[in-house]
Amino acid sequence: MANKCIKCNNCGHVGWSKNRGNFLITIILLIFFFVPGVIYEIWRRTGLGVCENCGSDLVQPSSACTSNRPSDVGDLIVLGVLGVIGSIVVVVLYALADSGINAFKNRNAPAPQLSQRELEGSCLRSGMVYYQKQGQYPILGDGKTLALDKIQIDCKGSKDGKYKAP
Ligand SMILES: [Zn+2]
């Protein structure tokens, strides 16, 4: 942990050291890249820290500090809140990415294939409609052939489910 009593070799100041780096960078890293933000904040808190007067890292341990050691509990509260927000953001982003990928997959999926049985059934229905309109249902114009028999033969192996009138 930083926050140690140090003597600065740069300006001669004796006092409690500050964390290295910049808390703002931690916040930005946490928001956009959660894990590097945590690593950066851990790095900030290791070592002796930097001089609170001039920001130099040319410091050496000292026992001459007279004031009380400052608390960085405020930083920790902000970090805790950001950690919670960060994990929510990560979960939301994963959910969004997931639904985005699914939408993409569905868009590229081929139209559902009708089975041969369904195609022939559909052809049969349109064939019946056709002969009803022609006034040749249920018996064809020759007066002896059942329309349904002919439709069934014509629809065998139908590729598109439509009845093709002869
Ligand atoms: Zn200094």
Side-chain angles (χ1 to χ4, degrees), residues 39-91:
I39 293 168
Y40 179 75
E41 186 58 23
I42 290 169
W43 170 82
R44 289 190 62 216
R45 287 159 188 279
T46 55
L48 278 176
V50 298
C51 172
E52 64 176 344
N53 185 45
C54 69
S56 169
D57 60 359
L58 300 169
V59 295
Q60 64 187 56
S62 165
S63 55
C65 290
T66 48
S67 62
N68 284 327
R69 179 179 170 150
S71 157
D72 64 352
V73 88
D75 276 16
L76 291 175
I77 289 168
V78 174
L79 284 177
V81 170
L82 279 173
V84 172
I85 293 171
S87 39
I88 292 169
V89 167
V90 166
V91 168

Side-chain angles (χ1 to χ4, degrees), residues 109-126:
Q113 288 292 311
L114 292 171
S115 70
Q116 190 56 45
R117 196 188 176 85
E118 286 164 332
L119 286 171
E120 286 176 7
S122 163
C123 176
L124 271 175
R125 283 190 294 278
S126 60

Side-chain angles (χ1 to χ4, degrees), residues 96-161:
L96 285 177
D98 205 42
S99 60
I101 288 164
N102 278 338
F104 184 74
K105 276 184 189 161
N106 289 339
R107 202 179 53 194
N108 287 314
Q113 288 292 311
L114 292 171
S115 70
Q116 190 56 45
R117 196 188 176 85
E118 286 164 332
L119 286 171
E120 286 176 7
S122 163
C123 176
L124 271 175
R125 283 190 294 278
S126 60
M128 281 156 70
V129 169
Y130 172 78
Y131 282 110
Q132 276 164 3
K133 278 184 185 160
Q134 303 282 312
Q136 299 186 54
Y137 193 84
I139 308 289
L140 289 182
D142 64 5
K144 56 182 180 188
T145 314
L146 278 173
L148 205 56
D149 286 350
K150 176 162 172 45
I151 299 165
Q152 267 172 341
I153 292 160
D154 289 345
C155 282
K156 192 115 187 96
S158 171
K159 293 281 182 289
D160 57 5

